[in-house]
Amino acid sequence: MKATFEQLRDSVTSRNWHVLQAELSHMQEIDVAAFIESLPAELALLVFRALEKDVAAEIFANFSNDQQELLIGAITDQELQHLMKGLMIDDAVDMIGELPANLVNRILRHTSPKTRSLINQFLLYPEFSAGSIMTAEFVQLKKEMSVGQAIAHIRKVGENKETIYTCYVTTQNRMLEGIVSVRTLLLSSDDQILETLMDPDYISVTTTDDQEHVADLFRRYDLLSIPVTDHENRLVGIITVDDIIDVIEEENTEDFQKMGALIPSEKPYLKTGVFTLAKNRIVWLMVLLFSGM
Amino acid sequence: MKATFEQLRDSVTSRNWHVLQAELSHMQEIDVAAFIESLPAELALLVFRALEKDVAAEIFANFSNDQQELLIGAITDQELQHLMKGLMIDDAVDMIGELPANLVNRILRHTSPKTRSLINQFLLYPEFSAGSIMTAEFVQLKKEMSVGQAIAHIRKVGENKETIYTCYVTTQNRMLEGIVSVRTLLLSSDDQILETLMDPDYISVTTTDDQEHVADLFRRYDLLSIPVTDHENRLVGIITVDDIIDVIEEENTEDFQKMGALIPSEKPYLKTGVFTLAKNRIVWLMVLLFSGM
């Protein structure tokens, strides 16, 4: 980080937006989020609004639930709509599990039907299950594609995917047939057909598998991501390694607490996602199920 | 895994090589390694020799040091040469730190001068430092390249790189100027110039940084890999997320043992790399330094 939070705050209070934006553009998203969280509420809103549109959602996903609640309560419907479009499903679900009812209602009203239905589906998975930590943004390919076609497809749809480095070869009805890495694609010639390149012996988990089992697979097989299927082998999500590092951290914190015979603290050791999920999930699940939203 | 180790062993003892090879080709490398380790020494050698050449080195890297020692002692000079060519530098250094003198001498005699010099360099880094866990196989690009040229370059040189997903933009004398992901390249048009796409505000570590600090950066910034520079900002290696998961595991094991007031056990919780490095490193460092190999 080049500027300290104090220097950045000076730019905010003196409304020196050009200097501030230049500094923020050199910072990592999680550091920008930490800086905004360090500001009083009204300044936080000002700075959040000054962010470039395409990074705002990612920075938002890095906020604590309290900061998210503050901002959601303060932004316009149009800003909210834009924000929800930019959020990955897992981050949206994390957030909704923690917000008060009026805000969730407002969020769901400004979310596309497709996203609402995904949120609904994700709320259904049991706590600490693969389903509860997976995300829905992945690249699907067909086994008849050539490498050239596959790369062209990735270039077209990759923008909003959680990862493009592992792609999933599926049938028309979303049955997972194999996985293929971008590495394999790039190291093969353009006219090779995916069916001959994909790995049909992929490692996968089902939505109800425990997240600790998922973490073990990442450790043993050095994975970057893992596909999550339902019990009919339909691909429903993926889990990426950065989320698994959080799980490993949580599991260790938990083991630690057990071993030290401490009372599990309210706030876990590191920033969580999964730990904070459970409480309100069931309420929203009911609302969504019966409201037919 | 489709076949159990017992079924696989039956194929070995009945010399049913076709069936065995078919089964092994469906298995992950670490599982093949575990299977071979479960065999008596002479059968292990037989099966290792039957492996496809391009996966043999990777399976070898997954063996315990004892199994590596057994195999190195049993294979021919030519096989050894081939094996060393296939091993990543960090795996070779891991192994050399544990082998008896006669085997190391033999290995170094059958290793290219370039690899020997890298091994030498890597043995110099202090235990638990970024330098001691990094690897030297990464993709370097130049900032004048277009996206099209960069992708073509990656396709040409990517085969033996630890990762191709993050590429490093360097000057003629290996100064790190920025990093660019394959994702960014694929999502940009072919005629864009790397200088306008690369991230000059990358996160990096130096060779002497502690591995725990490196792990913290991976956790905070959700990295897939991190560049390691020397104190003149020359790029000397990279660390990938799979190796960092091992570090996190080790650190947790260590903390655990401290907390439980246990005597640190000889064999750490999970398979290690770094823990086993220290002992013989200094001996080989001396040999290599003064022998001018």
Side-chain angles (χ1 to χ4, degrees):
Chain A
M1 239 175 306
K2 276 126 201 178
T4 64
F5 277 14
E6 206 173 328
Q7 291 167 322
L8 292 171
R9 258 193 300 272
D10 287 344
S11 300
V12 177
T13 46
S14 61
R15 301 295 193 266
N16 209 339
W17 300 120
H18 281 301
V19 173
L20 182 73
Q21 280 187 321
E23 287 295 348
L24 294 185
S25 73
H26 290 298
M27 286 165 57
Q28 303 292 321
E29 277 137 2
I30 190 168
D31 295 327
V32 177
F35 167 63
I36 294 178
E37 291 214 58
S38 78
L39 296 171
E42 66 284 11
L43 288 184
L45 180 62
L46 266 181
V47 175
F48 183 71
R49 283 188 159 140
L51 294 174
E52 287 177 55
K53 287 286 163 285
D54 55 336
V55 298
E58 208 158 326
I59 289 168
F60 183 85
N62 278 304
F63 285 144
S64 68
N65 290 116
D66 288 348
Q67 185 70 41
Q68 289 180 335
E69 184 173 338
L70 265 174
L71 277 171
I72 294 268
I75 62 181
T76 67
D77 286 354
Q78 205 189 347
E79 287 171 317
L80 181 58
Q81 217 161 346
H82 199 91
L83 185 65
M84 289 306 294
K85 222 182 274 177
L87 275 187
M88 299 271 163
I89 291 295
D90 54 345
D91 293 326
V93 170
D94 266 10
M95 177 179 73
I96 284 174
E98 288 298 310
L99 291 180
N102 58 328
L103 285 186
V104 175
N105 275 328
R106 186 164 161 248
I107 288 170
L108 292 173
R109 273 202 313 276
H110 294 92
T111 305
S112 71
K114 198 181 149 212
T115 305
R116 269 204 307 274
S117 130
L118 271 175
I119 290 175
N120 191 351
Q121 182 192 332
F122 273 55
L123 285 165
L124 262 166
Y125 298 114
E127 195 182 8
F128 308 127
S129 70
S132 78
I133 55 169
M134 71 184 185
T135 189
E137 292 83 0
F138 48 84
V139 180
Q140 289 187 65
L141 300 173
K142 299 289 162 213
K143 66 178 172 195
E144 298 80 18
M145 285 180 167
S146 68
V147 166
Q149 287 172 324
I151 292 177
H153 183 75
I154 294 168
R155 295 183 85 157
K156 209 178 79 185
V157 307
E159 189 70 56
N160 295 313
K161 304 306 181 189
E162 175 98 12
T163 183
I164 62 167
Y165 296 142
T166 309
C167 300
Y168 303 89
V169 181
T170 53
T171 64
Q172 289 300 346
N173 46 2
R174 291 194 296 133
M175 302 287 274
L176 184 56
E177 296 183 294
I179 64 171
V180 64
S181 68
V182 160
R183 181 187 187 121
T184 299
L185 294 176
L186 287 179
L187 298 181
S188 304
S189 58
D190 276 334
D191 54 357
Q192 279 185 272
I193 301 301
L194 292 206
E195 186 163 14
T196 65
L197 291 175
M198 71 183 194
D199 183 3
D201 304 306
Y202 55 82
I203 308 221
S204 71
V205 291
T206 60
T207 50
T208 48
D209 282 343
D210 190 88
Q211 59 175 6
E212 199 158 352
H213 170 64
V214 183
D216 287 340
L217 293 176
F218 271 84
R219 275 188 284 246
R220 180 167 179 85
Y221 298 110
D222 291 346
L223 304 174
L224 292 182
S225 59
I226 199 166
V228 185
T229 61
D230 64 15
H231 291 272
E232 277 80 49
N233 199 35
R234 275 188 304 262
L235 180 62
V236 287
I238 63 166
I239 300 169
T240 51
V241 66
D242 50 310
D243 294 323
I244 277 303
I245 287 187
D246 296 341
V247 168
I248 292 176
E249 209 54 55
E250 282 165 25
E251 303 280 350
N252 285 321
T253 308
E254 210 185 332
D255 291 348
F256 231 78
Q257 288 169 336
K258 275 187 212 146
M259 191 156 176
L262 303 168
I263 298 145
S265 73
E266 268 301 291
K267 267 254 178 256
Y269 190 50
L270 281 185
K271 81 159 175 153
T272 72
V274 210
F275 268 73
T276 52
L277 261 177
K279 249 188 319 174
N280 297 324
R281 144 170 281 151
I282 194 66
V283 178
W284 288 113
L285 180 58
M286 293 301 157
V287 171
L288 285 157
L289 271 179
F290 295 110
S291 71
M293 280 182 90
Chain B
M1 238 175 309
K2 277 126 202 178
T4 64
F5 278 12
E6 207 173 330
Q7 290 167 323
L8 291 171
R9 257 193 302 272
D10 286 344
S11 299
V12 177
T13 45
S14 61
R15 303 293 192 266
N16 209 338
W17 300 121
H18 281 302
V19 173
L20 182 72
Q21 280 187 319
E23 287 294 349
L24 294 186
S25 73
H26 291 298
M27 285 165 58
Q28 303 292 320
E29 277 137 3
I30 190 166
D31 295 326
V32 176
F35 167 64
I36 294 179
E37 291 214 58
S38 78
L39 295 172
E42 63 285 12
L43 287 184
L45 180 63
L46 264 180
V47 175
F48 183 69
R49 283 188 158 138
L51 293 174
E52 285 177 56
K53 285 288 161 285
D54 55 335
V55 298
E58 209 159 324
I59 289 168
F60 183 85
N62 279 305
F63 284 145
S64 70
N65 290 115
D66 289 347
Q67 185 71 41
Q68 289 181 334
E69 185 174 338
L70 264 174
L71 276 171
I72 294 269
I75 61 180
T76 68
D77 286 353
Q78 207 191 345
E79 286 172 318
L80 181 57
Q81 219 163 344
H82 198 90
L83 184 65
M84 289 306 294
K85 222 183 275 176
L87 273 187
M88 298 272 163
I89 290 294
D90 55 344
D91 293 326
V93 171
D94 266 9
M95 174 179 74
I96 284 175
E98 289 297 309
L99 291 181
N102 60 328
L103 285 186
V104 175
N105 275 327
R106 185 166 161 247
I107 287 170
L108 292 174
R109 272 201 314 277
H110 293 93
T111 305
S112 72
K114 199 183 146 209
T115 305
R116 270 205 306 275
S117 131
L118 272 176
I119 290 176
N120 191 351
Q121 183 193 330
F122 273 55
L123 284 166
L124 262 166
Y125 298 115
E127 195 182 7
F128 307 129
S129 70
S132 78
I133 56 170
M134 70 185 186
T135 190
E137 291 84 1
F138 49 85
V139 179
Q140 289 186 64
L141 300 172
K142 299 291 164 212
K143 67 177 172 196
E144 299 80 18
M145 284 179 167
S146 68
V147 167
Q149 287 172 323
I151 292 177
H153 183 74
I154 294 167
R155 296 183 86 156
K156 209 178 79 185
V157 306
E159 186 70 56
N160 294 312
K161 305 304 180 190
E162 177 97 13
T163 182
I164 63 166
Y165 294 143
T166 308
C167 300
Y168 302 90
V169 181
T170 54
T171 64
Q172 289 301 348
N173 46 1
R174 290 195 297 134
M175 304 286 275
L176 183 56
E177 295 184 294
I179 63 171
V180 63
S181 67
V182 159
R183 181 187 186 122
T184 299
L185 293 177
L186 287 178
L187 298 182
S188 305
S189 59
D190 276 334
D191 53 358
Q192 279 185 273
I193 300 301
L194 292 206
E195 186 164 13
T196 66
L197 291 175
M198 70 184 194
D199 183 2
D201 305 305
Y202 54 83
I203 307 216
S204 70
V205 290
T206 60
T207 49
T208 49
D209 282 343
D210 191 86
Q211 62 176 4
E212 199 159 351
H213 169 64
V214 184
D216 287 339
L217 293 177
F218 270 84
R219 276 188 281 245
R220 180 165 179 86
Y221 297 109
D222 291 348
L223 304 173
L224 292 182
S225 59
I226 199 166
V228 185
T229 60
D230 63 16
H231 291 274
E232 280 79 48
N233 199 34
R234 277 189 302 262
L235 181 62
V236 287
I238 63 166
I239 299 169
T240 51
V241 66
D242 50 313
D243 294 324
I244 278 303
I245 288 187
D246 295 342
V247 169
I248 293 175
E249 208 57 54
E250 284 165 24
E251 304 280 349
N252 286 322
T253 308
E254 212 185 332
D255 292 348
F256 232 78
Q257 288 169 336
K258 276 186 211 148
M259 192 157 175
L262 303 169
I263 298 146
S265 73
E266 269 302 291
K267 267 255 181 254
Y269 190 49
L270 280 186
K271 85 163 171 153
T272 72
V274 210
F275 267 73
T276 52
L277 259 180
K279 250 186 318 174
N280 299 325
R281 143 171 279 152
I282 193 67
V283 178
W284 287 113
L285 180 57
M286 292 300 157
V287 171
L288 284 157
L289 271 179
F290 295 110
S291 71
M293 278 182 91

